[in-house]
Amino acid sequence: MKVLGWDIGGAHLKAALAVGGKIARVWQMPCPLWQDLKALIDGIAVIGSEAGPVDLHALTMTGELADVFANRQEGVQQILAIFTGTLPRPKVVVYAHSQQLISIRQAVRQVVNVASANWSVSASWVSARCADGLMVDIGSTTTDLVPIVGGMLA
């Protein structure tokens, strides 16, 4: 199975291609959403083309916080619309804070559950491998400190 995982940030667009459960390629490109949305559209198209056909796209984001959007709801909805409109008929799931992958249709209705969920997916992965600790996620525009106690996000 080929899965392309995406993290749509406010300053960078990142993606990782997993083939048969192993990372085959990664991308990171500037994507200054606060300026306009062209870099996002172009970046999705480039990565999608270079990755080729995949079975599933899985995405998370913090880009909805960019000043180009009036609020988080508008940001999430526009990012999802751009994503599905840029790639040819993609099968897409979106990571939700509830530690689930949900459909685009569900994500559009559950903005609070998918907005800025990138730290949650990282912390969930770490908590499955480390019972107690502090997960630190330092990005270009945000930093998250997540305590992990007894294998649970605290």
Side-chain angles (χ1 to χ4, degrees):
M1 179 174 216
K2 286 178 71 173
V3 178
L4 188 54
W6 299 79
D7 183 2
I8 301 172
H12 291 92
L13 177 62
K14 298 160 291 283
L17 177 64
V19 180
K22 296 191 184 284
I23 301 298
R25 182 159 180 201
V26 296
W27 292 261
Q28 178 176 317
M29 57 182 55
C31 186
L33 289 183
W34 67 90
Q35 292 176 348
D36 65 44
L37 300 174
K38 184 173 179 357
L40 177 60
I41 295 165
D42 293 347
I44 292 169
V46 166
I47 293 170
S49 175
E50 290 180 4
V54 299
D55 300 304
L56 181 68
H57 295 270
L59 63 99
T60 188
M61 67 183 80
T62 55
E64 79 283 351
L65 297 172
D67 292 343
V68 71
F69 305 116
N71 54 51
R72 279 184 162 190
Q73 180 170 342
E74 177 185 302
V76 168
Q77 291 172 345
Q78 281 196 34
I79 287 170
L80 294 176
I82 288 168
F83 191 86
T84 57
T86 302
L87 296 174
R89 301 181 59 173
K91 180 174 180 188
V92 181
V93 292
V94 181
Y95 183 81
H97 284 289
S98 58
Q99 300 178 2
Q100 297 176 42
L101 295 171
I102 61 177
S103 71
I104 290 278
R105 184 171 287 149
Q106 291 170 308
V108 169
R109 293 191 310 263
Q110 296 180 34
V111 168
V112 172
N113 205 16
V114 300
S116 302
N118 70 334
W119 68 268
S120 180
V121 70
S122 299
S124 295
W125 186 87
V126 170
S127 70
R129 290 152 181 82
C130 177
D132 298 295
L134 180 66
M135 197 279 307
V136 180
D137 179 358
I138 301 172
S140 300
T141 59
T142 60
T143 297
D144 299 293
L145 306 172
V146 184
I148 300 168
V149 179
M152 304 294 291
L153 307 186

